[in-house]
C-alpha cells in the first residue's frame, strides 16, 4: 500500500516505489517526523524516534516541555511555544499574540490528489497517487490546519501542501505558512542551491552546512534570476551516481524562502514556502488559506537519480499542455534580428528565408503595438501599430501562413508604461504607495493584478488580439521585479497579502488564456529566466531559459536548469555572432548543438547568414526532427561539467527502452597537452551492443558495459568552443 496507518504504533508510512516517509503521533497530539529514505518496514518507523532520550515527551516530563519542542523532529513546527528553530507556521491573534499549538486530531487517506485552489500543483489520476490528510487544531483560536501528503505510484516523490481554516470567532493574521518542513539527523550535509543574476541564471552552488541557517530566497515578487525555489541537502562527496540527496522544489512563482538549519544537537531542519518577510494574510472566520505545493525527492544514487525523478514528475504530473507530447515547431524570433526597428516587409523577408530553410514559425517580438519604437512607452496599449504593420495583424499572419509557417507573438501583459493610454486612463491600476515615488524599472510600472478589474481588463485586451488573427504561440514576458508594493484597493490590514494575490492574478490570467485558447503554445519568460519555476511549467510547457544566448555561457545555465527540469522545457535558440550579450564568437555548429538540448529555435537575422551558414541551418533542422523524441522524452545523464573541470562539458540523453542515445560534447578550451578525452557514458544496457557514430563517418560497435565502465574516447579537436554529437544505437 502506498500509505499505511499502523494503529497500534500510531505511525504513518508513505511508500513510493523506492522510498519511505515516516510520521508518528506522540502523546496523541504531536505530529513528529520519524524517517525519510530508502524503503523500510512500517513496524521499524516508531523505534527511529527519540522518545527514550532526554528530553522526554511532555506527558512524561511536563517541566521540560520547551526542551522537548526544541529538540524533537516535527512535521509542522509552530512559533511561540518553545521550538526556537525555524518554524513553519505563525499566526497572530487580534490581541497581538504569536503562539499556536497545532495538535493532531484525525486523518484521512484518499485515492487521487486534491487540486489547490487557484494555484498550480502536480496532478494525478486516482490510480496514480494516494493522499494522506492530517488534521490538526489550535484549541485557543480554533484554527485548523490540514497537512496534505501525496504519494505517486510510479515516481519517488512526496508532494506536500497545507490548508488553513479559521473556525474561530475572530480573524487571525497568518504571518507564515510554509509548505513543507523536514527534520533529519546531520550527516555532514552540504547545501546545494541555484544562484545567479540576469543572463547567468541557475548556476549550481554547493556549500558545507555549518551550525546556524543557510537560506535561498526572493523578495522580488517572482522566483527570480538571483535565487531559485530549490534546495537540497547532500552527503559529502555526492556525485551524479553516488551519495544521498534530500531535495525540495517549490511549485510557486513568487516570493519564496528555502532554508537549511543545523542546530546544536546536530539535527537539520529544511523548510520551504512563501517568504514571510513580505507576507501577512488576514483570515476571517470560516475563511480558508491554501499554501502552494512543495515537492520532495530523496535519492540514494546521487544527483542523477534526483534529476531523472524530477524530470519524470514534471513530464507526467505537472505539465498539462497538449504540446508536451507533440513536436513543437522550430521558431525564429525577430528580437535580436531587428529589436524595435522592423515593419511587415522586414518580418516577411525573415519569414520567407526561414521557411525555405525548414523553420516552421515566425515569432514577432516586442515593438508591434501602440507607439512602441523604444522601451520608453506603450506597454498596456495592446493595439497593433499599423504604421509598422500595414494592413494589420491579420494581413501579416495570412502572408506568413501562405509560406507554410505558423505565427507567434510577444506580450508583456503584467506591465504598463507611464507613457501609455492605459496608464493615463487608469493611473491607480499600478502598484504604488501614496506619497512615494513609484520605482520604475525598464521605464515601466507593474499593474496591480491583485485587483479583479485589472485582471479582467488585461485579459480582454490580450484575448482580442489572439482572436483577431491566426496566432499559434505566445511569448509571455515579465521584465521587472515588483517594488513600491501598495494597492489602492487593499485595506491596511490586508496589504501584506499583495505579493501573493499578485501571483494568483498571474495564474488566473494564464489559466483563462489556456481555457479559451487550448491549442495555443505558451512560452513563459521573465527578462530571460527570472521566472523559470514549476509554477510556470503548469501553464506553459517551455520557458525562456536566459537572455544570454551565447552557447558557452549557456552551458552552465542549462546545466543548472536541467538539474531539475526536462530538456523539453528549456527555451534555447541559435543566435548571431558576435553574441549580442557577450560579444563572443562561437562556431555555428556549437551554437546548434547547445540549442538542440532545449526547445531549439533561432534568434538572428537569417537574411544575413552566409550560404554556408544557411546550409548548416538545414542540417540543424534535420537533426532536430531526427532526435526530437529522444531529447524530449529520454532520460538525462550529466557526464561532465565545464563549471568543475574548466575545459569541457558533456551530457547525454538515453531513450526509455535504452535502444538509442545521443551524446553531447563541448570542448570549451583547447589544450596543447591533451590528445583526447575518455568519457564514461551512462544509462545504457550493460549486455547490449551499440553502434557508435561520432558524426564523423566513423562507426564502431561497443558493448554497453565497455561504454559505461571503460568509456568512449573523444578525438582531439583543435580550437576553442568546438562541439560534437554522437548518436548511439543498440544493435
Amino acid at each position: 500500500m502506498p500509505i499505511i496507518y499502523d494503529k497500534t504504533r500510531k505511525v504513518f508510512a508513505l511508500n513510493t516505489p523506492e522510498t519511505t516517509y515516516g510520521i508518528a503521533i506522540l502523546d496523541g497530539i504531536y505530529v513528529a517526523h520519524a524517517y525519510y529514505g530508502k524503503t523500510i518496514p512500517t513496524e521499524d518507523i516508531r523505534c527511529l524516534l527519540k522518545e527514550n532520550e532526554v528530553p522526554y515527551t511532555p506527558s512524561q516530563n511536563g517541566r521540560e516541555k520547551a526542551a522537548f519542542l526544541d529538540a524533537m523532529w516535527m512535521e509542522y513546527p509552530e512559533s511561540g511555544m518553545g521550538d526556537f528553530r525555524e518554524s513553519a507556521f505563525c499566526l497572530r491573534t487580534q490581541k497581538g499574540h504569536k503562539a499556536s499549538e497545532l495538535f493532531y486530531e484525525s486523518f484521512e487517506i484518499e485515492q487521487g490528489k486534491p487540486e489547490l485552489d487557484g494555484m498550480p500543483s502536480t496532478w494525478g489520476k486516482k490510480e496514480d497517487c494516494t493522499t494522506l490528510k492530517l488534521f490538526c487544531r489550535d484549541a485557543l483560536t480554533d484554527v485548523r490546519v490540514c497537512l496534505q501528503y501525496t504519494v505517486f505510484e510510479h515516481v519517488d516523490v512526496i508532494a506536500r501542501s497545507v490548508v488553513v481554516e479559521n473556525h474561530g470567532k475572530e480573524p487571525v493574521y497568518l504571518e507564515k505558512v510554509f509548505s513543507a518542513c523536514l527534520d533529519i539527523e546531520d550527516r555532514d550535509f552540504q547545501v546545494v542551491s541555484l544562484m545567479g543574476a540576469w543572463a547567468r541564471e541557475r548556476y549550481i552552488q554547493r556549500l558545507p552546512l555549518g551550525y546556524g541557517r543557510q537560506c535561498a530566497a526572493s523578495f522580488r515578487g517572482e522566483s527570480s534570476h538571483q535565487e531559485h525555489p530549490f534546495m537540497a541537502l547532500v552527503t559529502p562527496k555526492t556525485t551524479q551516481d553516488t551519495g544521498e540527496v534530500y531535495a525540495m522544489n517549490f511549485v510557486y512563482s513568487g516570493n519564496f524562502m528555502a532554508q537549511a538549519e543545523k542546530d546544536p544537537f546536530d539535527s537539520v531542519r529544511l523548510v520551504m514556502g512563501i517568504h514571510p518577510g513580505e507576507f501577512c494574510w488576514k483570515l476571517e472566520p470560516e475563511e480558508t488559506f491554501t499554501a502552494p505545493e512543495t515537492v520532495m525527492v530523496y535519492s540514494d544514487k546521487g544527483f542523477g537519480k534526483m534529476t531523472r525523478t524530477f524530470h519524470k514528475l514534471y513530464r507526467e504530473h505537472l505539465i498539462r499542455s497538449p504540446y508536451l507530447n507533440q513536436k513543437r515547431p522550430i521558431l525564429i524570433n525577430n528580437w535580436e534580428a531587428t529589436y524595435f526597428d522592423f515593419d511587415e516587409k522586414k518580418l516577411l523577408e525573415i519569414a520567407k528565408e526561414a521557411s525555405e530553410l525548414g523553420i516552421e514559425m515566425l515569432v514577432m517580438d516586442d515593438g508591434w503595438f501602440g507607439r512602441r519604437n523604444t522601451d520608453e512607452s506603450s506597454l498596456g496599449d495592446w493595439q497593433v501599430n499599423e504604421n509598422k504593420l500595414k494592413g494589420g495583424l491579420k494581413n501579416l499572419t495570412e502572408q506568413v501562413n501562405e509560406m507554410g509557417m505558423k505565427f507567434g507573438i510577444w506580450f508583456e501583459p503584467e506591465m504598463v508604461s507611464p507613457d501609455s493610454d492605459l496608464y493615463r486612463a487608469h493611473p491607480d491600476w499600478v502598484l504604488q504607495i501614496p506619497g512615494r515615488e513609484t520605482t520604475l524599472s525598464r521605464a515601466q510600472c507593474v499593474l496591480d493584478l491583485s485587483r479583479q478589474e485589472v485582471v479582467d481588463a488585461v485579459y480582454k485586451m490580450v484575448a482580442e488580439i489572439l482572436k483577431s488573427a491566426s496566432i499559434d504561440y505566445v511569448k509571455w514576458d515579465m521584465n521587472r521585479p515588483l517594488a513600491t508594493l501598495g494597492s489602492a484597493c487593499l485595506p491596511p490590514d490586508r496589504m501584506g497579502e499583495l505579493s501573493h494575490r499578485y501571483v494568483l492574478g498571474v495564474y488566473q490570467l494564464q489559466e483563462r488564456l489556456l481555457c479559451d485558447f487550448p491549442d495555443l503554445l505558451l512560452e513563459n519568460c521573465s527578462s530571460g529566466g527570472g521566472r523559470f519555476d514549476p509554477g510556470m511549467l503548469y501553464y506553459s510547457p517551455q520557458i525562456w531559459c536566459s537572455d544570454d544566448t551565447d552557447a558557452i555561457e549557456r552551458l552552465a545555465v542549462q546545466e543548472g536548469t536541467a538539474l531539475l527540469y526536462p530538456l523539453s522545457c528549456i527555451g534555447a535558440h541559435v543566435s548571431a555572432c558576435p553574441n549580442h550579450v557577450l560579444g563572443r564568437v562561437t562556431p555555428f555548429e556549437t551554437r546548434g548543438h547547445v540549442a538542440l538540448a532545449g526547445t531549439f529555435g533561432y534568434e538572428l537575422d537569417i537574411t544575413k547568414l552566409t550560404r554556408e551558414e544557411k546550409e548548416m541551418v538545414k542540417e540543424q533542422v534535420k537533426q532536430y526532427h531526427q532526435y526530437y523524441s529522444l531529447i524530449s522524452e529520454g532520460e538525462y545523464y550529466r557526464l561532465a561539467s565545464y563549471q568543475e573541470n574548466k575545459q569541457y562539458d558533456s551530457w547525454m540523453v538515453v531513450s526509455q527502452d535504452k535502444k538509442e542515445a545521443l551524446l553531447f560534447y563541448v570542448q570549451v578550451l583547447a589544450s596543447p597537452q591533451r590528445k583526447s578525452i575518455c568519457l564514461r557514458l551512462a544509462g545504457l544496457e550493460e549486455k547490449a551492443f551499440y553502434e557508435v557514430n561520432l558524426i564523423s563517418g566513423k562507426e564502431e560497435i561497443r558493448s554497453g558495459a565497455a561504454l559505461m565502465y571503460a568509456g568512449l574516447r573523444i578525438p582531439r579537436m583543435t580550437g576553442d568552443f568546438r562541439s560534437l554529437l554522437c548518436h548511439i544505437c543498440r544493435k
Side-chain angles (χ1 to χ4, degrees):
M1 291 287 292
I3 299 178
I4 299 170
Y5 176 59
D6 184 330
K7 184 176 181 180
T8 302
R9 298 179 176 85
K10 292 185 172 53
V11 162
F12 297 91
L14 286 65
N15 296 306
T16 72
E18 296 185 18
T19 72
T20 296
Y21 189 97
I23 301 170
I25 307 301
L26 300 182
D27 273 5
I29 55 175
Y30 295 104
V31 184
H33 178 71
Y35 175 77
Y36 188 30
K38 287 282 289 182
T39 301
I40 63 172
T42 303
E43 52 266 30
D44 288 337
I45 291 175
R46 187 83 194 191
C47 66
L48 299 176
L49 291 169
K50 300 179 180 180
E51 290 180 275
N52 297 320
E53 298 180 15
V54 176
Y56 297 105
T57 57
S59 64
Q60 297 172 292
N61 186 10
R63 70 187 297 274
E64 293 296 344
K65 180 178 177 180
F68 164 78
L69 294 175
D70 202 30
M72 180 54 67
W73 293 355
M74 296 295 188
E75 275 298 306
Y76 202 65
E78 314 95 330
S79 298
M81 293 300 295
D83 185 342
F84 298 101
R85 297 162 291 180
E86 188 69 46
S87 65
F89 182 79
C90 179
L91 67 77
R92 173 168 50 87
T93 66
Q94 290 283 85
K95 295 181 179 179
H97 302 138
K98 293 186 180 183
S100 60
E101 291 187 297
L102 298 173
F103 289 160
Y104 169 78
E105 289 193 330
S106 63
F107 76 93
E108 291 178 3
I109 297 174
E110 62 184 44
Q111 292 301 116
K113 185 176 188 295
E115 295 182 355
L116 301 186
D117 186 30
M119 283 185 295
S121 64
T122 55
W123 48 267
K125 300 176 182 178
K126 286 188 176 181
E127 61 268 24
D128 293 333
C129 51
T130 307
T131 298
L132 168 67
K133 295 181 177 180
L134 297 179
F135 298 98
C136 305
R137 176 174 171 265
D138 178 62
L140 183 63
T141 60
D142 204 9
V143 168
R144 305 179 190 186
V145 172
C146 175
L147 307 180
Q148 298 184 157
Y149 305 77
T150 295
V151 175
F152 292 89
E153 188 74 21
H154 302 294
V155 59
D156 287 309
V157 170
I158 306 289
R160 297 179 61 173
S161 57
V162 176
V163 179
V164 184
E165 298 177 350
N166 184 3
H167 291 269
K169 297 180 180 180
E170 294 183 342
V172 295
Y173 295 88
L174 304 178
E175 297 194 343
K176 183 192 297 183
V177 186
F178 282 170
S179 299
C181 172
L182 176 66
D183 283 351
I184 52 178
E185 197 81 49
D186 183 40
R187 301 191 191 116
D188 294 324
F189 281 128
Q190 297 169 333
V191 178
V192 176
S193 56
L194 299 175
M195 318 297 284
W198 175 80
R200 52 183 180 89
E201 298 90 339
R202 290 173 299 285
Y203 274 50
I204 298 171
Q205 176 175 265
R206 184 170 174 173
L207 299 170
L209 176 63
Y211 291 102
R213 304 176 182 188
Q214 289 179 217
C215 180
S218 172
F219 286 104
R220 298 168 184 266
E222 59 178 345
S223 45
S224 85
H225 303 79
Q226 289 73 18
E227 305 188 48
H228 196 75
F230 161 79
M231 184 168 279
L233 300 172
V234 304
T235 49
K237 298 181 181 180
T238 292
T239 67
Q240 286 294 317
D241 306 310
T242 63
E244 291 184 279
V245 181
Y246 296 86
M248 289 185 182
N249 202 191
F250 199 27
V251 187
Y252 188 64
S253 309
N255 294 338
F256 75 90
M257 177 174 150
Q259 181 175 276
E261 173 186 6
K262 184 161 75 168
D263 69 19
F265 306 106
D266 290 322
S267 290
V268 174
R269 173 168 288 178
L270 181 63
V271 295
M272 180 170 282
I274 295 175
H275 201 300
E278 293 285 352
F279 175 82
C280 181
W281 193 274
K282 184 179 182 181
L283 198 66
E284 296 280 4
E286 305 308 317
E287 284 187 346
T288 297
F289 176 82
T290 302
E293 181 174 85
T294 290
V295 289
M296 298 172 49
V297 171
Y298 167 79
S299 166
D300 65 323
K301 295 183 177 65
F303 293 112
K305 184 179 178 183
M306 178 206 76
T307 290
R308 290 183 288 279
T309 301
F310 275 122
H311 287 197
K312 182 177 177 67
L313 175 74
Y314 294 151
R315 280 195 297 236
E316 297 181 2
H317 295 286
L318 181 68
I319 300 171
R320 304 171 297 159
S321 169
Y323 279 94
L324 173 64
N325 298 311
Q326 293 179 20
K327 185 183 291 184
R328 297 170 207 172
I330 302 172
L331 66 83
I332 185 166
N333 186 299
N334 75 298
W335 179 241
E336 289 191 18
T338 66
Y339 294 100
F340 294 106
D341 185 18
F342 66 87
D343 56 20
E344 87 285 351
K345 181 175 181 293
K346 179 59 179 176
L347 293 178
L348 291 172
E349 288 175 354
I350 292 173
K352 182 176 184 298
E353 192 74 54
S355 65
E356 292 173 354
L357 298 178
I359 296 172
E360 300 160 307
M361 178 187 287
L362 173 71
V363 175
M364 180 175 63
D365 211 283
D366 194 356
W368 56 268
F369 52 91
R371 295 175 288 103
R372 184 77 162 177
N373 295 310
T374 71
D375 63 4
E376 295 284 338
S377 75
S378 300
L379 280 179
D381 295 342
W382 300 111
Q383 297 88 31
V384 176
N385 181 349
E386 296 202 19
N387 291 324
K388 282 187 174 183
L389 305 180
K390 307 296 184 185
L393 195 56
K394 190 172 188 296
N395 177 59
L396 175 63
T397 59
E398 287 176 349
Q399 292 187 71
V400 171
N401 292 160
E402 286 173 3
M403 298 176 189
M405 297 186 75
K406 295 184 176 183
F407 185 83
I409 195 169
W410 177 96
F411 284 98
E412 192 169 2
E414 302 168 54
M415 305 299 163
V416 63
S417 303
D419 180 12
S420 68
D421 293 339
L422 179 64
Y423 183 86
R424 284 184 281 270
H426 300 284
D428 63 311
W429 279 12
V430 304
L431 298 180
Q432 57 188 303
I433 299 172
R436 293 199 181 277
E437 179 182 0
T438 300
T439 299
L440 297 181
S441 179
R442 203 172 183 249
Q444 60 197 51
C445 299
V446 183
L447 288 169
D448 183 359
L449 297 183
S450 72
R451 297 171 59 173
Q452 190 61 48
E453 70 269 34
V454 178
V455 170
D456 292 341
V458 169
Y459 182 74
K460 182 180 179 182
M461 289 186 285
V462 172
E464 285 179 352
I465 289 292
L466 295 181
K467 291 174 183 176
S468 71
S470 176
I471 298 173
D472 302 283
Y473 161 103
V474 163
K475 180 180 178 182
W476 182 299
D477 209 347
M478 179 207 189
N479 275 308
R480 60 153 295 170
L482 276 54
T484 47
L485 286 169
S487 171
C489 288
L490 286 175
D493 64 348
R494 287 192 178 272
M495 205 61 73
E497 302 174 13
L498 178 54
S499 293
H500 182 56
R501 287 186 180 275
Y502 178 91
V503 177
L504 295 179
V506 174
Y507 290 154
Q508 183 192 149
L509 278 170
Q510 297 204 359
E511 185 68 30
R512 289 170 67 177
L513 187 70
L514 296 177
C515 286
D516 291 347
F517 304 91
D519 297 324
L520 187 72
L521 174 55
L522 177 64
E523 177 168 332
N524 268 292
C525 173
S526 179
S527 193
R531 201 159 62 182
F532 199 123
D533 57 64
M536 289 287 95
L537 283 183
Y538 183 78
Y539 302 99
S540 64
Q542 59 194 55
I543 303 174
W544 186 230
C545 184
S546 177
D547 278 347
D548 193 336
T549 55
D550 174 73
I552 303 306
E553 189 70 18
R554 272 292 186 115
L555 295 176
V557 174
Q558 292 182 200
E559 178 187 359
T561 306
L563 186 70
L564 304 177
Y565 305 107
L567 300 187
S568 62
C569 303
I570 300 174
H573 293 170
V574 178
S575 63
C577 277
N579 180 264
H580 289 196
V581 173
L582 294 181
R584 181 184 283 133
V585 175
T586 54
F588 203 93
E589 183 179 46
T590 301
R591 286 175 264 158
H593 289 164
V594 174
L596 196 61
T599 57
F600 192 74
Y602 290 88
E603 189 101 10
L604 44 71
D605 188 346
I606 202 164
T607 67
K608 295 181 180 179
L609 297 185
T610 66
R611 180 179 299 177
E612 180 184 7
E613 288 173 330
K614 290 177 182 178
E615 288 301 314
M616 295 183 76
V617 170
K618 291 181 181 179
E619 179 60 27
Q620 290 172 351
V621 167
K622 179 181 176 182
Q623 289 178 347
Y624 170 80
H625 290 298
Q626 181 179 355
Y627 301 128
Y628 176 81
S629 295
L630 176 57
I631 293 171
S632 63
E633 299 170 12
E635 294 190 328
Y636 171 87
Y637 292 85
R638 171 57 58 170
L639 304 183
S641 171
Y642 166 58
Q643 294 305 297
E644 295 177 3
N645 64 51
K646 305 303 180 185
Q647 289 187 321
Y648 62 94
D649 210 57
S650 185
W651 63 95
M652 65 187 294
V653 182
V654 182
S655 63
Q656 299 288 340
D657 60 10
K658 300 187 182 298
K659 290 182 178 180
E660 187 182 12
L662 193 62
L663 167 67
F664 295 78
Y665 174 82
V666 181
Q667 175 178 281
V668 180
L669 296 176
S671 169
Q673 303 300 323
R674 190 176 69 231
K675 293 183 178 181
S676 62
I677 290 290
C678 191
L679 285 176
R680 290 186 176 184
L681 308 192
L684 304 176
E685 196 173 296
E686 286 188 17
K687 296 182 180 180
F689 285 86
Y690 292 87
E691 182 180 277
V692 179
N693 181 0
L694 281 172
I695 320 294
S696 63
K698 183 180 179 181
E699 297 180 358
E700 299 178 357
I701 305 298
R702 300 281 184 87
S703 69
L707 290 169
M708 291 191 293
Y709 308 138
L712 176 67
R713 194 159 290 281
I714 304 299
R716 180 177 181 269
M717 295 183 288
T718 58
D720 296 337
F721 316 137
R722 299 288 306 281
S723 68
L724 59 80
L725 287 181
C726 178
H727 188 218
I728 302 167
C729 288
R730 192 166 70 190
K731 293 295 289 181

